[in-house]
Amino acid sequence: MVGPRSLLKKYGFRPKKRMGQNFLLDPSLAAQIVSLAEVDQKDMVLEIGAGLGALTIPLSQRAKRVWALEADPALAELLIKEVGLPDNVELVVADALEFPFYDLARSRRMKMKVVGNLPYSISSPMIFRLLEHKDSVSSITLMFQKEVALRLIASPGTKEYGPLTVAAQFSAQISLLRLVSCRCFYPRPKVDSALVRMLPLTRPGMEVEDPEVFHEIVRGAFAHRRKTLENSLALYRPFGLEAKQVSQIVTRTGWSSRRGEELGLEEFAKLANAFSKYLAGDSKTGRISHKRAQTR
């Protein structure tokens, strides 16, 4: 297979920085990524970012069927013309943030394995989108900017720990598979990458009364990182609550002076459940049911 530098030069194709076009140089690394994704002959695979087929081809050799998404029509045309695609690969020119992969999984009555070298610019929204439709996905193996990968596996109290960490760990079991040097790509990005695997959880590992409330409270807790939970949430005003109401709820948990980055998932679940009970109205304490405002 012709290397990306030579191939792009042959067609006068200049990688588009705005689309995060950084192509894998090492075929052995591509093969390892496919191996770590644990793809086999019974799997349907959604590849995000087909590029020049560095992952597409080895995926096709192991999977039952591959849907390869490529947002750049010119690059997709080059891929078909120069590389060619096996019969079990369907190249789809589409934005990964808009492609309805869940409809595809539903129609085939099978969950998909997601694999790809993700453009850095869509990392966070793509994670949220995949986990939002996690019932259609059995595993997610993606290349991220190293900084994003470290945020995904971060622990409470670290500088990397934040709302992305909590939201992702709430919905999936996450592991960092390997670090990847920036030298493995063309053009060479300014930062290193990391391969991450996410296994969606059928249900969260902790008891959460209302996932909507949980995620809103997490966003509010990190909205003002240097402030305490009480102050950050009071300023954020989740569900339109007044500062006095927020203070009342947080005070009852005993965590008024703590910061959002100090709480683990179970503690966030307990905090969110306290808000859920308040919003629903607690007959035991005689609180009046609070009508939720539209979420942000």
Side-chain angles (χ1 to χ4, degrees):
M1 183 175 176
V2 181
R5 285 194 187 91
S6 301
L7 191 55
L8 295 174
K9 185 177 180 180
K10 175 181 176 181
Y11 286 90
F13 186 97
R14 298 184 65 180
K16 300 178 179 68
K17 186 176 181 179
R18 63 181 176 80
M19 298 187 75
Q21 292 179 344
N22 301 96
F23 305 96
L24 279 174
L25 291 171
D26 187 355
S28 64
L29 173 58
Q32 184 184 32
I33 292 171
V34 174
S35 177
L36 289 171
E38 299 182 357
V39 174
D40 62 37
Q41 290 296 319
K42 68 178 184 300
D43 289 326
M44 293 199 315
V45 174
L46 178 73
E47 182 193 5
I48 300 177
L52 292 173
L55 288 176
T56 313
I57 302 304
L59 281 171
S60 71
Q61 295 167 349
R62 299 185 61 156
K64 180 178 181 179
R65 190 159 188 81
V66 178
W67 279 266
L69 303 186
E70 177 50 58
D72 188 347
L75 190 56
E77 184 179 348
L78 194 159
L79 174 59
I80 294 173
K81 183 176 181 179
E82 186 67 27
V83 180
L85 294 172
D87 292 338
N88 66 335
V89 175
E90 182 173 339
L91 181 62
V92 182
V93 180
D95 186 335
L97 292 173
E98 298 178 359
F99 182 70
F101 63 90
Y102 39 86
D103 287 341
L104 188 59
R106 191 178 301 116
S107 67
R108 299 288 176 131
R109 297 182 180 180
M110 284 183 66
K111 292 188 176 184
M112 307 187 81
K113 288 187 175 180
V114 181
V115 184
N117 177 24
L118 206 62
Y120 294 159
S121 60
I122 68 168
S123 294
S124 292
M126 196 68 233
I127 292 169
F128 284 116
R129 190 164 195 261
L130 289 170
L131 294 178
E132 180 185 358
H133 300 284
K134 64 180 182 178
D135 291 345
S136 300
V137 175
S138 59
S139 70
I140 302 165
T141 307
L142 294 173
M143 188 86 73
F144 293 104
Q145 182 178 341
K146 180 181 175 182
E147 178 186 346
V148 175
L150 294 179
R151 287 166 60 196
L152 289 171
I153 63 170
S155 300
T158 62
K159 65 178 182 179
E160 293 85 9
Y161 190 71
L164 177 64
T165 313
V166 178
Q169 292 182 11
F170 175 79
S171 299
Q173 177 186 336
I174 306 172
S175 54
L176 193 155
L177 299 180
R178 62 159 293 170
L179 299 178
V180 179
S181 169
C182 59
R183 295 191 297 272
C184 295
F185 299 93
Y186 174 79
R188 183 182 295 185
K190 295 180 180 180
V191 296
D192 290 335
S193 298
L195 187 66
V196 172
R197 190 169 193 219
M198 308 174 73
L199 300 177
L201 299 171
T202 304
R203 55 183 300 174
M206 71 291 299
E207 195 68 33
V208 172
E209 294 184 12
D210 188 332
E212 178 190 349
V213 173
F214 176 86
H215 291 296
E216 182 73 351
I217 295 306
V218 170
R219 284 190 288 269
F222 286 100
H224 305 275
R225 288 187 71 104
R226 294 183 181 180
K227 295 187 178 296
T228 62
L229 270 175
E230 182 178 349
N231 290 334
S232 184
L233 285 166
L235 287 169
Y236 186 77
R237 294 188 59 197
F239 300 102
L241 291 170
E242 297 295 332
K244 184 178 180 179
Q245 295 171 302
V246 171
S247 178
Q248 180 183 356
I249 299 167
V250 178
T251 298
R252 287 179 177 176
T253 66
W255 298 334
S256 296
S257 61
R258 296 185 68 183
R259 292 181 170 83
E261 54 266 36
E262 297 174 349
L263 267 62
L265 265 67
E266 290 188 5
E267 290 172 310
F268 268 119
K270 291 177 181 178
L271 180 62
N273 288 343
F275 274 87
S276 292
K277 289 177 181 177
Y278 185 91
L279 291 166
D282 189 336
S283 58
K284 292 181 180 181
T285 60
R287 284 200 296 268
I288 299 173
S289 179
H290 182 89
K291 185 178 181 181
R292 296 183 189 177
Q294 186 175 359
T295 58
R296 292 168 174 79

